[in-house]
Amino acid sequence: MNVPNALTVLRIALIPTYLYIFFDPFPYHISIAYLILILAGLTDIVDGYIARKYKLVTPFGTMMDPLADKLMMMAVIASLFLTERISVWATIVFFMRDLAMIVTSAFYHIRGKKTVPANAFGKVTTVMFYIAFTLVMFQFPYGEPVLWMVIAFSIVTSAVYLMKVRLLNKLYVK
């Protein structure tokens, strides 16, 4: 297992750690859970950089890296919903979008189809989600409206991504 893949596995392991600490009632638990979330985000940046720079991209990393990101984001949304920081509708729309992305990616991967690498819109969306999570987690004013704007933006970027994947696979029919 190479370093980028090990970082992806670490990010997956951080999910239950985040949830355990987020829901534990000890003082500063939200701040510590937030630091775990930031650590997960940093491992995502580092593993992608190392994989590309040193040509360590693997089929495992190609599939598991985005899945690890989605699972962490879903854990954060679930924790925010269960602590009544966000509405059920924000939770449902977020989960529907992420589940659709996971299922679609798995469908293309299993069928041996090509996918496109993450683009600038996807990276901007991730940064925007981290900003929205910060606002909501620490209960700043307007946290959920900001989250709704990011969810809307993520739906648009997901649609663009899926159109690119479909176009790529029409051009390169096996």
Side-chain angles (χ1 to χ4, degrees), residues 4 43-56 123:
T43 65
D44 184 29
I45 293 167
V46 172
D47 79 33
Y49 173 78
I50 293 171
R52 285 185 298 279
K53 180 171 174 80
Y54 297 102
K55 298 181 183 1
L56 297 173
K123 294 178 189 313

Side-chain angles (χ1 to χ4, degrees), residues 85-127:
R85 285 175 165 80
I86 61 172
S87 70
V88 66
W89 291 110
T91 306
I92 289 169
V93 172
F94 181 92
F95 269 85
M96 287 176 55
R97 178 245 177 210
D98 269 27
L99 286 173
M101 290 297 290
I102 291 168
V103 169
T104 303
S105 294
F107 173 79
Y108 277 100
H109 181 77
I110 288 167
R111 296 194 67 206
K113 302 287 186 178
K114 296 183 180 293
T115 57
V116 294
N119 60 27
F121 289 121
K123 294 178 189 313
V124 168
T125 302
T126 300
V127 170

Side-chain angles (χ1 to χ4, degrees), residues 8-89:
T8 297
V9 171
L10 171 64
R11 193 160 57 259
I12 292 168
L14 287 174
I15 296 167
T17 307
Y18 163 83
L19 290 170
Y20 177 80
I21 291 173
F22 185 90
F23 288 109
D24 197 301
F26 70 87
Y28 309 111
H29 65 104
I30 298 294
S31 296
I32 295 169
Y34 179 74
L35 291 175
I36 291 169
L37 173 63
I38 297 302
L39 176 63
L42 292 174
T43 65
D44 184 29
I45 293 167
V46 172
D47 79 33
Y49 173 78
I50 293 171
R52 285 185 298 279
K53 180 171 174 80
Y54 297 102
K55 298 181 183 1
L56 297 173
V57 175
T58 64
F60 174 85
T62 302
M63 185 67 175
M64 293 306 294
D65 180 70
L67 181 60
D69 299 340
K70 297 246 177 283
L71 292 174
M72 177 56 95
M73 299 288 235
M74 292 170 89
V76 172
I77 287 291
S79 67
L80 297 175
F81 168 69
L82 292 171
T83 55
E84 300 180 352
R85 285 175 165 80
I86 61 172
S87 70
V88 66
W89 291 110

Side-chain angles (χ1 to χ4, degrees), residues 77 86 90 129 132-133 136 142-152:
I77 287 291
I86 61 172
F129 268 120
F133 290 163
V136 172
Y142 307 108
E144 187 163 349
V146 170
L147 178 62
W148 271 110
M149 288 188 298
V150 178
I151 290 170

Side-chain angles (χ1 to χ4, degrees), residues 125-160:
T125 302
T126 300
V127 170
M128 290 170 59
F129 268 120
Y130 275 80
I131 292 167
F133 290 163
T134 303
L135 296 174
V136 172
M137 196 174 285
F138 293 105
Q139 299 177 312
F140 286 102
Y142 307 108
E144 187 163 349
V146 170
L147 178 62
W148 271 110
M149 288 188 298
V150 178
I151 290 170
F153 184 74
S154 74
I155 291 169
V156 171
T157 60
S158 295
V160 169

